Coordinates of all heavy atoms in Angstrom, one line a residue:
M5 N 4.1 1.4 8.0 CA 4.9 1.6 6.8 C 4.4 2.8 6.0 O 5.2 3.5 5.4 CB 4.7 0.3 6.0 CG 5.8 -0.2 5.2 SD 7.5 0.0 5.8 CE 7.5 -0.8 7.4
I6 N 3.1 3.0 5.9 CA 2.5 4.1 5.2 C 3.0 5.4 5.8 O 3.5 6.3 5.1 CB 1.0 4.0 5.1 CG1 0.6 2.8 4.3 CG2 0.4 5.3 4.6 CD1 -0.9 2.5 4.4
R7 N 2.9 5.6 7.1 CA 3.3 6.8 7.8 C 4.8 7.0 7.6 O 5.2 8.2 7.4 CB 2.9 6.7 9.3 CG 1.5 7.0 9.5 CD 1.2 7.1 11.0 NE -0.1 6.8 11.3 CZ -0.6 6.1 12.3 NH1 0.3 5.6 13.2 NH2 -1.8 5.8 12.5
K8 N 5.5 6.0 7.7 CA 7.0 6.1 7.6 C 7.4 6.6 6.2 O 8.2 7.5 6.1 CB 7.7 4.8 7.9 CG 9.2 4.9 8.0 CD 9.8 3.7 8.6 CE 11.2 3.9 8.9 NZ 11.9 2.8 9.6
S9 N 6.7 6.1 5.2 CA 7.1 6.5 3.8 C 6.7 7.9 3.6 O 7.3 8.6 2.8 CB 6.4 5.6 2.8 OG 6.8 5.9 1.5
L10 N 5.6 8.4 4.2 CA 5.1 9.7 3.9 C 5.6 10.7 4.9 O 5.3 11.9 4.9 CB 3.6 9.7 3.9 CG 2.9 8.9 2.8 CD1 1.4 8.9 2.9 CD2 3.3 9.5 1.4
G11 N 6.4 10.3 5.9 CA 6.8 11.1 7.0 C 8.1 11.8 6.6 O 8.3 12.2 5.5
S12 N 9.0 12.0 7.6 CA 10.2 12.7 7.4 C 11.1 11.9 6.4 O 11.0 10.8 6.1 CB 11.0 12.8 8.8 OG 11.2 11.5 9.3
P13 N 12.1 12.6 5.9 CA 13.0 12.0 4.9 C 13.7 10.8 5.4 O 14.0 10.7 6.6 CB 14.0 13.1 4.6 CG 13.4 14.4 5.0 CD 12.5 14.1 6.1
L14 N 13.9 9.8 4.6 CA 14.5 8.6 5.0 C 15.9 8.4 4.3 O 16.1 8.9 3.2 CB 13.6 7.4 4.5 CG 12.2 7.4 5.0 CD1 11.5 6.2 4.3 CD2 12.2 7.2 6.5
S15 N 16.8 7.7 5.0 CA 18.1 7.4 4.4 C 17.9 6.4 3.3 O 16.8 5.8 3.2 CB 19.0 6.8 5.5 OG 18.6 5.5 5.8
A16 N 18.9 6.2 2.5 CA 18.8 5.2 1.4 C 18.5 3.8 1.9 O 17.6 3.1 1.3 CB 20.0 5.3 0.5
D17 N 19.1 3.5 3.0 CA 18.8 2.1 3.6 C 17.4 2.0 4.0 O 16.7 1.0 3.8 CB 19.7 1.9 4.8 CG 21.1 1.6 4.4 OD1 21.4 1.1 3.3 OD2 22.0 1.8 5.3
E18 N 16.9 3.1 4.7 CA 15.5 3.1 5.2 C 14.5 3.1 4.0 O 13.5 2.3 4.0 CB 15.2 4.3 6.1 CG 15.9 4.2 7.4 CD 15.8 5.6 8.2 OE1 15.9 6.6 7.5 OE2 15.7 5.5 9.4
R19 N 14.8 3.9 3.0 CA 13.9 4.0 1.9 C 13.8 2.7 1.2 O 12.8 2.2 0.8 CB 14.3 5.1 0.9 CG 13.6 5.2 -0.4 CD 12.1 5.4 -0.2 NE 11.8 6.6 0.4 CZ 10.5 6.9 0.9 NH1 9.6 6.0 0.8 NH2 10.3 8.0 1.5
S20 N 15.0 2.0 1.0 CA 15.0 0.7 0.3 C 14.1 -0.3 1.1 O 13.3 -1.0 0.5 CB 16.4 0.3 0.2 OG 16.5 -1.0 -0.5
A21 N 14.3 -0.3 2.4 CA 13.5 -1.3 3.2 C 12.1 -1.0 3.2 O 11.2 -1.9 3.0 CB 14.1 -1.3 4.6
V22 N 11.7 0.3 3.3 CA 10.3 0.7 3.3 C 9.7 0.4 2.0 O 8.5 -0.1 1.9 CB 10.2 2.2 3.6 CG1 8.8 2.7 3.3 CG2 10.5 2.5 5.1
N23 N 10.4 0.7 0.9 CA 9.8 0.4 -0.5 C 9.6 -1.1 -0.7 O 8.6 -1.5 -1.2 CB 10.7 1.0 -1.6 CG 10.5 2.5 -1.7 OD1 9.7 3.1 -0.9 ND2 11.2 3.1 -2.6
D24 N 10.5 -1.9 -0.2 CA 10.4 -3.4 -0.3 C 9.2 -3.8 0.5 O 8.4 -4.7 0.0 CB 11.6 -4.1 0.2 CG 12.8 -4.0 -0.8 OD1 12.5 -3.6 -2.0 OD2 13.9 -4.3 -0.4
D25 N 9.0 -3.3 1.7 CA 7.9 -3.6 2.5 C 6.6 -3.2 1.9 O 5.6 -3.9 1.9 CB 8.0 -3.0 3.9 CG 9.0 -3.7 4.8 OD1 9.4 -4.8 4.5 OD2 9.4 -3.1 5.8
L26 N 6.5 -2.0 1.3 CA 5.3 -1.5 0.6 C 5.0 -2.4 -0.5 O 3.8 -2.7 -0.7 CB 5.5 -0.1 0.2 CG 5.4 1.0 1.2 CD1 5.9 2.4 0.7 CD2 4.0 1.1 1.7
K27 N 6.0 -2.8 -1.3 CA 5.7 -3.7 -2.4 C 5.0 -5.0 -1.9 O 4.0 -5.5 -2.5 CB 6.9 -4.0 -3.2 CG 6.7 -4.9 -4.4 CD 7.9 -5.1 -5.2 CE 7.6 -6.0 -6.4 NZ 8.7 -6.2 -7.3
G28 N 5.5 -5.5 -0.8 CA 4.9 -6.7 -0.2 C 3.5 -6.5 0.3 O 2.6 -7.3 0.1
H29 N 3.3 -5.3 0.9 CA 1.9 -5.0 1.5 C 0.9 -4.8 0.3 O -0.2 -5.3 0.4 CB 2.0 -3.8 2.3 CG 2.7 -4.0 3.6 ND1 2.6 -5.1 4.4 CD2 3.6 -3.1 4.2 CE1 3.4 -4.9 5.5 NE2 4.0 -3.8 5.4
L30 N 1.4 -4.2 -0.7 CA 0.5 -4.0 -1.9 C 0.1 -5.3 -2.5 O -1.1 -5.6 -2.8 CB 1.1 -3.1 -3.0 CG 1.3 -1.6 -2.6 CD1 2.2 -1.0 -3.6 CD2 -0.1 -1.0 -2.5
G31 N 1.1 -6.2 -2.6 CA 0.8 -7.6 -3.1 C -0.2 -8.3 -2.2 O -1.0 -9.1 -2.7
L32 N -0.2 -8.1 -0.9 CA -1.1 -8.8 0.0 C -2.5 -8.1 -0.1 O -3.5 -8.8 0.0 CB -0.6 -8.7 1.4 CG 0.6 -9.5 1.7 CD1 1.1 -9.2 3.2 CD2 0.3 -11.0 1.6
L33 N -2.6 -6.8 -0.3 CA -3.9 -6.2 -0.3 C -4.6 -6.3 -1.6 O -5.9 -6.3 -1.6 CB -3.7 -4.7 0.0 CG -3.3 -4.3 1.4 CD1 -2.8 -2.8 1.5 CD2 -4.5 -4.5 2.3
M34 N -3.9 -6.5 -2.7 CA -4.6 -6.6 -4.0 C -5.6 -7.7 -4.1 O -6.7 -7.4 -4.5 CB -3.5 -6.7 -5.1 CG -2.8 -5.4 -5.4 SD -1.5 -5.5 -6.7 CE -1.8 -7.0 -7.6
P35 N -5.3 -8.9 -3.7 CA -6.4 -9.9 -3.8 C -7.6 -9.7 -3.0 O -8.7 -10.1 -3.3 CB -5.7 -11.2 -3.4 CG -4.2 -10.9 -3.3 CD -4.1 -9.5 -3.2
I36 N -7.4 -8.9 -1.9 CA -8.5 -8.7 -1.0 C -9.6 -7.8 -1.7 O -10.8 -7.9 -1.5 CB -8.0 -8.0 0.3 CG1 -7.2 -9.0 1.1 CG2 -9.2 -7.6 1.2 CD1 -6.4 -8.5 2.3
V37 N -9.1 -6.8 -2.5 CA -10.0 -5.9 -3.1 C -10.2 -6.1 -4.6 O -11.0 -5.4 -5.2 CB -9.6 -4.4 -2.9 CG1 -9.5 -4.1 -1.4 CG2 -8.2 -4.2 -3.6
A38 N -9.6 -7.2 -5.1 CA -9.7 -7.5 -6.5 C -11.1 -7.6 -7.1 O -11.4 -7.1 -8.2 CB -8.9 -8.7 -6.9
G39 N -12.0 -8.3 -6.4 CA -13.3 -8.5 -6.9 C -14.1 -7.2 -7.0 O -14.8 -7.1 -8.0
A40 N -14.0 -6.4 -6.1 CA -14.8 -5.1 -6.1 C -14.1 -4.0 -6.8 O -14.8 -3.0 -7.3 CB -15.1 -4.7 -4.6
H41 N -12.8 -4.0 -7.0 CA -12.1 -2.9 -7.6 C -11.0 -3.4 -8.6 O -9.8 -3.2 -8.5 CB -11.4 -2.1 -6.5 CG -12.4 -1.7 -5.4 ND1 -13.2 -0.7 -5.6 CD2 -12.6 -2.2 -4.2 CE1 -14.0 -0.5 -4.5 NE2 -13.6 -1.5 -3.6
P42 N -11.4 -4.1 -9.7 CA -10.5 -4.8 -10.6 C -9.6 -3.8 -11.3 O -8.4 -4.1 -11.6 CB -11.4 -5.6 -11.5 CG -12.7 -4.9 -11.5 CD -12.8 -4.4 -10.1
E43 N -10.1 -2.6 -11.7 CA -9.3 -1.6 -12.4 C -8.2 -1.1 -11.6 O -7.0 -1.0 -12.0 CB -10.2 -0.4 -12.9 CG -11.2 -0.8 -13.9 CD -12.5 -1.3 -13.2 OE1 -12.7 -1.1 -12.0 OE2 -13.4 -1.9 -13.9
L44 N -8.4 -0.8 -10.3 CA -7.4 -0.4 -9.4 C -6.4 -1.4 -9.2 O -5.1 -1.2 -9.3 CB -8.0 0.1 -8.1 CG -7.0 0.5 -7.0 CD1 -6.2 1.7 -7.5 CD2 -7.8 0.8 -5.7
V45 N -6.8 -2.7 -9.0 CA -5.9 -3.8 -8.8 C -5.0 -4.0 -10.0 O -3.8 -4.2 -9.9 CB -6.6 -5.0 -8.4 CG1 -5.7 -6.3 -8.4 CG2 -7.2 -4.9 -7.0
A46 N -5.6 -3.8 -11.2 CA -4.8 -4.0 -12.5 C -3.7 -2.9 -12.5 O -2.6 -3.2 -12.9 CB -5.7 -3.9 -13.7
S47 N -4.1 -1.7 -12.2 CA -3.1 -0.6 -12.2 C -2.0 -0.9 -11.2 O -0.8 -0.7 -11.5 CB -3.8 0.7 -11.8 OG -2.9 1.7 -11.7
V48 N -2.3 -1.3 -10.0 CA -1.3 -1.6 -9.0 C -0.4 -2.8 -9.4 O 0.8 -2.8 -9.2 CB -1.9 -1.9 -7.6 CG1 -0.9 -2.3 -6.6 CG2 -2.7 -0.6 -7.1
G49 N -1.1 -3.7 -10.0 CA -0.3 -4.9 -10.5 C 0.7 -4.5 -11.5 O 1.9 -5.1 -11.5
R50 N 0.4 -3.6 -12.4 CA 1.4 -3.1 -13.4 C 2.6 -2.4 -12.6 O 3.8 -2.6 -13.0 CB 0.8 -2.1 -14.4 CG -0.1 -2.8 -15.4 CD -0.5 -1.9 -16.5 NE -1.4 -0.8 -16.0 CZ -2.8 -1.0 -15.9 NH1 -3.3 -2.1 -16.1 NH2 -3.5 0.0 -15.5
R51 N 2.3 -1.7 -11.6 CA 3.4 -1.1 -10.8 C 4.3 -2.1 -10.2 O 5.5 -1.9 -10.1 CB 2.8 -0.2 -9.7 CG 3.8 0.3 -8.7 CD 3.1 1.1 -7.6 NE 2.6 2.3 -8.0 CZ 3.3 3.5 -7.9 NH1 4.5 3.4 -7.5 NH2 2.8 4.6 -8.4
L52 N 3.7 -3.2 -9.7 CA 4.5 -4.2 -9.0 C 5.2 -5.2 -9.9 O 5.9 -6.1 -9.5 CB 3.5 -5.0 -8.1 CG 2.9 -4.2 -7.0 CD1 2.0 -5.1 -6.1 CD2 3.9 -3.4 -6.2
E53 N 5.0 -5.1 -11.3 CA 5.8 -5.9 -12.2 C 7.3 -5.6 -12.2 O 8.1 -6.4 -12.6 CB 5.2 -5.7 -13.6 CG 3.9 -6.3 -13.8 CD 3.3 -6.1 -15.2 OE1 4.0 -5.4 -16.0 OE2 2.2 -6.5 -15.5
Y54 N 7.6 -4.4 -11.6 CA 9.0 -4.0 -11.6 C 9.4 -3.8 -10.2 O 8.6 -3.5 -9.3 CB 9.2 -2.7 -12.4 CG 8.7 -2.8 -13.8 CD1 7.4 -2.4 -14.1 CD2 9.5 -3.3 -14.8 CE1 6.9 -2.5 -15.4 CE2 9.0 -3.5 -16.1 CZ 7.7 -3.0 -16.4 OH 7.3 -3.2 -17.7
E55 N 10.7 -3.9 -9.9 CA 11.3 -3.6 -8.6 C 11.2 -2.1 -8.4 O 11.3 -1.3 -9.3 CB 12.7 -4.1 -8.5 CG 12.8 -5.6 -8.5 CD 12.1 -6.2 -7.4 OE1 12.2 -5.8 -6.2 OE2 11.4 -7.2 -7.6
P56 N 11.1 -1.7 -7.1 CA 11.2 -0.2 -6.8 C 12.5 0.3 -7.2 O 13.5 -0.4 -7.3 CB 11.1 -0.2 -5.3 CG 10.4 -1.5 -4.9 CD 10.9 -2.5 -5.9
P57 N 12.6 1.6 -7.6 CA 13.9 2.2 -8.0 C 14.9 2.1 -6.9 O 14.6 2.1 -5.7 CB 13.5 3.7 -8.2 CG 12.1 3.7 -8.4 CD 11.5 2.6 -7.6
D58 N 16.2 2.0 -7.3 CA 17.3 1.8 -6.3 C 17.4 3.2 -5.5 O 17.7 4.2 -6.1 CB 18.6 1.6 -7.1 CG 19.8 1.3 -6.2 OD1 20.0 2.1 -5.3 OD2 20.5 0.3 -6.5
A59 N 17.3 3.1 -4.2 CA 17.3 4.3 -3.4 C 18.7 4.9 -3.3 O 18.8 6.1 -2.9 CB 16.8 3.9 -2.0
Y60 N 19.7 4.1 -3.7 CA 21.1 4.7 -3.6 C 21.4 5.4 -4.9 O 22.0 6.5 -4.9 CB 22.1 3.5 -3.4 CG 21.9 2.8 -2.1 CD1 21.1 1.7 -2.1 CD2 22.4 3.3 -0.9 CE1 20.9 1.0 -0.9 CE2 22.2 2.6 0.3 CZ 21.4 1.5 0.3 OH 21.2 0.8 1.4
R61 N 21.0 4.9 -6.0 CA 21.3 5.5 -7.3 C 20.3 6.5 -7.7 O 20.6 7.5 -8.4 CB 21.4 4.4 -8.4 CG 22.6 3.5 -8.2 CD 22.7 2.4 -9.1 NE 22.8 2.9 -10.5 CZ 22.7 2.1 -11.6 NH1 22.4 0.9 -11.5 NH2 22.9 2.7 -12.8
Y62 N 19.0 6.3 -7.4 CA 18.0 7.2 -7.8 C 17.1 7.6 -6.6 O 16.0 7.2 -6.5 CB 17.1 6.5 -8.8 CG 17.9 5.9 -10.0 CD1 18.1 4.5 -10.1 CD2 18.5 6.7 -10.9 CE1 18.8 4.0 -11.1 CE2 19.2 6.2 -12.0 CZ 19.4 4.8 -12.1 OH 20.1 4.3 -13.1
P63 N 17.7 8.4 -5.7 CA 16.9 8.7 -4.4 C 15.6 9.4 -4.6 O 14.6 9.1 -4.0 CB 17.9 9.5 -3.6 CG 18.9 10.0 -4.6 CD 19.0 9.0 -5.7
Q64 N 15.5 10.3 -5.6 CA 14.3 11.0 -5.8 C 13.2 10.1 -6.4 O 12.0 10.1 -6.0 CB 14.5 12.2 -6.7 CG 15.3 13.3 -6.1 CD 14.6 13.9 -4.9 OE1 14.3 13.3 -3.9 NE2 14.4 15.2 -5.0
C65 N 13.6 9.2 -7.3 CA 12.7 8.3 -7.9 C 12.2 7.3 -6.9 O 11.0 6.9 -6.8 CB 13.3 7.5 -9.1 SG 13.7 8.6 -10.5
A66 N 13.1 6.8 -6.0 CA 12.7 5.9 -4.9 C 11.8 6.6 -4.0 O 10.8 5.9 -3.5 CB 14.0 5.4 -4.2
R67 N 12.0 7.8 -3.6 CA 11.1 8.6 -2.7 C 9.7 8.7 -3.3 O 8.7 8.4 -2.7 CB 11.7 9.9 -2.4 CG 10.8 10.7 -1.4 CD 11.2 12.2 -1.3 NE 11.3 12.9 -2.6 CZ 10.3 13.4 -3.2 NH1 9.1 13.3 -2.8 NH2 10.5 14.0 -4.4
Q68 N 9.7 9.1 -4.6 CA 8.4 9.2 -5.3 C 7.7 7.9 -5.4 O 6.5 7.8 -5.1 CB 8.6 9.8 -6.7 CG 7.3 10.1 -7.4 CD 7.5 10.7 -8.8 OE1 8.6 11.0 -9.1 NE2 6.4 10.9 -9.5
W69 N 8.4 6.8 -5.7 CA 7.8 5.5 -5.8 C 7.2 5.1 -4.4 O 6.1 4.6 -4.3 CB 8.8 4.5 -6.3 CG 8.2 3.1 -6.6 CD1 7.8 2.7 -7.8 CD2 7.9 2.1 -5.6 NE1 7.3 1.4 -7.7 CE2 7.3 1.0 -6.4 CE3 8.0 1.9 -4.3 CZ2 6.9 -0.2 -5.8 CZ3 7.6 0.8 -3.7 CH2 7.0 -0.3 -4.4
G70 N 8.0 5.4 -3.4 CA 7.5 5.0 -2.0 C 6.3 5.8 -1.6 O 5.4 5.3 -1.0
E71 N 6.3 7.1 -1.9 CA 5.2 7.9 -1.5 C 3.9 7.6 -2.3 O 2.8 7.5 -1.7 CB 5.5 9.4 -1.7 CG 6.5 9.9 -0.7 CD 7.0 11.3 -0.9 OE1 6.6 11.9 -1.9 OE2 7.7 11.9 -0.1
E72 N 4.0 7.3 -3.6 CA 2.9 6.9 -4.4 C 2.4 5.6 -3.9 O 1.2 5.3 -3.8 CB 3.2 6.9 -5.8 CG 3.4 8.3 -6.4 CD 3.9 8.3 -7.9 OE1 4.1 7.2 -8.4 OE2 4.2 9.4 -8.4
S73 N 3.3 4.7 -3.6 CA 2.9 3.3 -3.2 C 2.2 3.4 -1.8 O 1.3 2.6 -1.5 CB 4.1 2.4 -3.2 OG 4.6 2.2 -4.5
A74 N 2.7 4.2 -0.9 CA 2.1 4.4 0.4 C 0.7 4.9 0.3 O -0.2 4.4 0.9 CB 3.0 5.3 1.3
R75 N 0.5 5.9 -0.6 CA -0.9 6.4 -0.8 C -1.8 5.3 -1.4 O -3.0 5.2 -1.0 CB -0.9 7.6 -1.7 CG -0.4 8.9 -0.9 CD -0.5 10.1 -1.8 NE 0.4 10.2 -2.9 CZ 1.6 10.7 -2.8 NH1 2.1 11.2 -1.6 NH2 2.4 10.8 -3.8
T76 N -1.3 4.5 -2.3 CA -2.0 3.4 -2.9 C -2.3 2.4 -1.9 O -3.5 1.8 -1.8 CB -1.2 2.8 -4.1 OG1 -1.0 3.8 -5.1 CG2 -2.0 1.7 -4.7
A77 N -1.4 2.0 -1.0 CA -1.6 1.0 0.1 C -2.7 1.5 1.0 O -3.5 0.8 1.4 CB -0.3 0.7 0.8
D78 N -2.6 2.8 1.3 CA -3.6 3.4 2.2 C -5.0 3.3 1.6 O -6.0 2.9 2.2 CB -3.3 4.9 2.5 CG -4.2 5.5 3.5 OD1 -4.4 4.9 4.6 OD2 -4.8 6.6 3.2
Q79 N -5.1 3.6 0.3 CA -6.4 3.5 -0.5 C -6.9 2.0 -0.5 O -8.0 1.8 -0.2 CB -6.2 4.0 -1.9 CG -7.5 3.9 -2.7 CD -7.2 4.5 -4.1 OE1 -6.1 4.5 -4.6 NE2 -8.3 4.8 -4.8
L80 N -6.0 1.1 -0.8 CA -6.4 -0.3 -0.8 C -6.8 -0.8 0.6 O -7.8 -1.5 0.7 CB -5.2 -1.2 -1.3 CG -4.9 -1.1 -2.8 CD1 -3.6 -2.0 -3.1 CD2 -6.0 -1.5 -3.7
L81 N -6.1 -0.4 1.6 CA -6.5 -0.8 3.0 C -7.9 -0.2 3.3 O -8.7 -0.9 3.9 CB -5.4 -0.3 4.0 CG -5.7 -0.7 5.4 CD1 -5.8 -2.2 5.6 CD2 -4.5 -0.1 6.3
G82 N -8.1 1.0 3.0 CA -9.4 1.7 3.2 C -10.5 0.9 2.5 O -11.6 0.7 3.1
L83 N -10.3 0.5 1.2 CA -11.3 -0.2 0.5 C -11.5 -1.6 1.1 O -12.7 -2.0 1.2 CB -10.9 -0.3 -1.0 CG -10.9 1.0 -1.8 CD1 -10.2 0.7 -3.1 CD2 -12.3 1.5 -2.0
A84 N -10.5 -2.2 1.5 CA -10.6 -3.6 2.1 C -11.4 -3.5 3.4 O -12.3 -4.3 3.6 CB -9.2 -4.2 2.4
L85 N -11.1 -2.5 4.2 CA -11.8 -2.3 5.5 C -13.3 -1.9 5.2 O -14.2 -2.4 5.9 CB -11.1 -1.3 6.4 CG -9.8 -1.7 6.9 CD1 -9.1 -0.5 7.6 CD2 -9.9 -2.9 7.8
A86 N -13.5 -1.1 4.3 CA -14.9 -0.7 3.9 C -15.7 -1.8 3.4 O -16.8 -2.0 3.8 CB -14.9 0.5 2.9
D87 N -15.1 -2.7 2.5 CA -15.8 -3.8 2.0 C -16.1 -4.8 3.1 O -17.2 -5.4 3.2 CB -14.9 -4.5 0.9 CG -14.8 -3.7 -0.3 OD1 -15.6 -2.7 -0.5 OD2 -13.9 -4.1 -1.2
E88 N -15.2 -5.0 4.0 CA -15.4 -5.9 5.1 C -16.5 -5.4 6.1 O -17.4 -6.2 6.5 CB -14.1 -6.2 5.9 CG -14.4 -7.3 7.0 CD -13.1 -7.9 7.5 OE1 -12.1 -8.0 6.8 OE2 -13.1 -8.2 8.7
D89 N -16.5 -4.1 6.4 CA -17.5 -3.5 7.2 C -18.9 -3.7 6.5 O -19.9 -4.0 7.2 CB -17.2 -2.1 7.5 CG -16.1 -1.9 8.5 OD1 -15.7 -2.9 9.2 OD2 -15.6 -0.8 8.6
A90 N -18.9 -3.5 5.2 CA -20.2 -3.6 4.5 C -20.7 -5.0 4.5 O -21.9 -5.3 4.7 CB -20.0 -3.1 3.0
E91 N -19.8 -6.0 4.4 CA -20.2 -7.4 4.5 C -20.8 -7.7 5.8 O -21.8 -8.4 6.0 CB -19.0 -8.3 4.2 CG -18.6 -8.3 2.7 CD -17.4 -9.2 2.5 OE1 -17.1 -10.1 3.3 OE2 -16.8 -9.0 1.4
H92 N -20.1 -7.2 6.9 CA -20.6 -7.4 8.2 C -22.0 -6.8 8.5 O -22.8 -7.4 9.1 CB -19.6 -6.9 9.3 CG -18.4 -7.8 9.4 ND1 -17.4 -7.5 10.2 CD2 -18.1 -8.9 8.7 CE1 -16.5 -8.5 10.1 NE2 -16.8 -9.3 9.2
R93 N -22.2 -5.6 8.0 CA -23.5 -4.9 8.1 C -24.6 -5.7 7.4 O -25.7 -5.9 7.9 CB -23.4 -3.5 7.6 CG -22.8 -2.5 8.6 CD -23.0 -1.1 8.2 NE -22.6 -0.8 6.8 CZ -21.3 -0.5 6.5 NH1 -20.4 -0.4 7.4 NH2 -21.0 -0.2 5.3
H94 N -24.2 -6.2 6.2 CA -25.2 -7.0 5.4 C -25.5 -8.3 6.2 O -26.7 -8.8 6.1 CB -24.6 -7.3 4.1 CG -25.5 -8.1 3.2 ND1 -26.6 -7.6 2.7 CD2 -25.4 -9.4 2.8 CE1 -27.3 -8.5 2.0 NE2 -26.5 -9.6 2.0
A95 N -24.5 -8.9 6.9 CA -24.8 -10.1 7.6 C -25.3 -9.9 9.0 O -25.6 -10.8 9.7 CB -23.5 -10.9 7.7
G96 N -25.5 -8.6 9.4 CA -26.0 -8.3 10.7 C -25.0 -8.5 11.8 O -25.3 -8.6 13.0
V97 N -23.7 -8.4 11.5 CA -22.6 -8.5 12.5 C -21.9 -7.2 12.6 O -21.7 -6.4 11.7 CB -21.6 -9.5 11.9 CG1 -20.4 -9.7 12.9 CG2 -22.2 -10.9 11.7
E98 N -21.6 -6.9 13.9 CA -20.9 -5.6 14.1 C -19.5 -5.7 13.5 O -18.9 -6.7 13.5 CB -20.7 -5.3 15.6 CG -22.1 -5.0 16.3 CD -21.8 -4.6 17.7 OE1 -20.8 -4.0 18.0 OE2 -22.7 -4.9 18.5
A99 N -18.9 -4.5 13.1 CA -17.6 -4.5 12.6 C -16.6 -4.9 13.7 O -16.8 -4.6 14.9 CB -17.2 -3.0 12.2
R100 N -15.6 -5.7 13.3 CA -14.6 -6.2 14.3 C -13.7 -5.1 14.7 O -13.1 -4.4 13.9 CB -13.9 -7.3 13.6 CG -14.7 -8.5 13.4 CD -14.0 -9.7 12.9 NE -13.5 -9.4 11.5 CZ -12.6 -10.2 10.9 NH1 -12.0 -11.1 11.5 NH2 -12.3 -9.9 9.7
P101 N -13.5 -4.9 16.0 CA -12.7 -3.8 16.5 C -11.2 -4.1 16.4 O -10.4 -3.2 16.4 CB -13.0 -3.8 18.0 CG -13.6 -5.1 18.4 CD -14.2 -5.6 17.1
H102 N -10.8 -5.3 16.1 CA -9.4 -5.7 16.0 C -8.8 -5.4 14.6 O -7.6 -5.7 14.4 CB -9.1 -7.1 16.4 CG -9.7 -8.1 15.5 ND1 -11.0 -8.5 15.5 CD2 -9.1 -8.8 14.5 CE1 -11.2 -9.4 14.6 NE2 -10.1 -9.6 14.0
L103 N -9.6 -4.9 13.6 CA -9.0 -4.7 12.3 C -8.0 -3.6 12.4 O -8.1 -2.7 13.2 CB -10.1 -4.3 11.4 CG -11.1 -5.4 11.0 CD1 -12.3 -4.8 10.2 CD2 -10.4 -6.5 10.2
P104 N -6.9 -3.7 11.5 CA -5.9 -2.6 11.6 C -6.5 -1.3 11.2 O -7.4 -1.2 10.4 CB -4.9 -3.1 10.5 CG -5.6 -4.1 9.7 CD -6.7 -4.7 10.5
S105 N -5.9 -0.3 11.7 CA -6.3 1.1 11.4 C -5.6 1.5 10.1 O -4.5 1.1 9.8 CB -6.1 2.0 12.5 OG -4.7 2.1 12.8
R106 N -6.2 2.4 9.4 CA -5.5 3.0 8.2 C -4.3 3.8 8.7 O -4.3 4.4 9.7 CB -6.5 3.9 7.5 CG -7.6 3.0 6.8 CD -8.5 3.9 6.1 NE -7.9 4.4 4.9 CZ -8.4 5.3 4.1 NH1 -9.6 5.8 4.4 NH2 -7.7 5.7 3.1
G107 N -3.3 3.8 7.8 CA -2.1 4.6 8.1 C -1.0 3.8 8.9 O -0.1 4.4 9.3
T108 N -1.2 2.5 9.1 CA -0.2 1.8 9.8 C 0.9 1.3 8.9 O 0.8 1.3 7.7 CB -0.8 0.6 10.5 OG1 -1.4 -0.3 9.5 CG2 -1.8 1.0 11.6

């Protein structure tokens, strides 16, 4: 989703679907990093209080919302993975190889 949003231009249908997916992904990632990064989560939470801009009526706004949300999702995913790796190191466990990679 992140790559798709930041990649080549999307049609209004694609942009609408990608933005909806990004909103859902952000909602899932926020609780994971909330304890360690409350200010960032509060900022993302304010963004998610509203629906993404209509990709048909406001294509530029929808594109900007999607790109900013994709970068935010990438940042949250990176923080979540870093926090989990740190917990594993602290517990003496190797990082799990099956974790999702950033940019998916």
Side-chain angles (χ1 to χ4, degrees):
M5 218 33 57
I6 294 169
R7 284 188 202 138
K8 189 169 188 173
S9 185
L10 296 173
S12 59
L14 302 174
S15 70
D17 285 337
E18 292 171 320
R19 174 56 66 193
S20 182
V22 166
N23 284 0
D24 286 344
D25 286 345
L26 282 168
K27 183 175 181 178
H29 292 317
L30 289 169
L32 292 173
L33 288 167
M34 285 179 17
I36 296 170
V37 299
H41 308 282
E43 297 85 12
L44 177 59
V45 169
S47 173
V48 175
R50 285 188 295 275
R51 169 185 287 271
L52 298 182
E53 289 177 0
Y54 305 97
E55 291 300 314
D58 184 311
Y60 300 94
R61 293 177 61 193
Y62 308 106
Q64 293 295 60
C65 292
R67 180 189 56 78
Q68 183 177 357
W69 189 96
E71 290 175 353
E72 289 174 2
S73 295
R75 286 189 286 274
T76 301
D78 185 52
Q79 182 181 17
L80 290 175
L81 182 58
L83 291 170
L85 293 173
D87 289 347
E88 185 163 326
D89 286 347
E91 287 177 20
H92 285 180
R93 281 193 303 277
H94 180 71
V97 178
E98 288 187 35
R100 293 186 286 167
H102 69 277
L103 290 174
S105 64
R106 291 179 71 187
T108 57

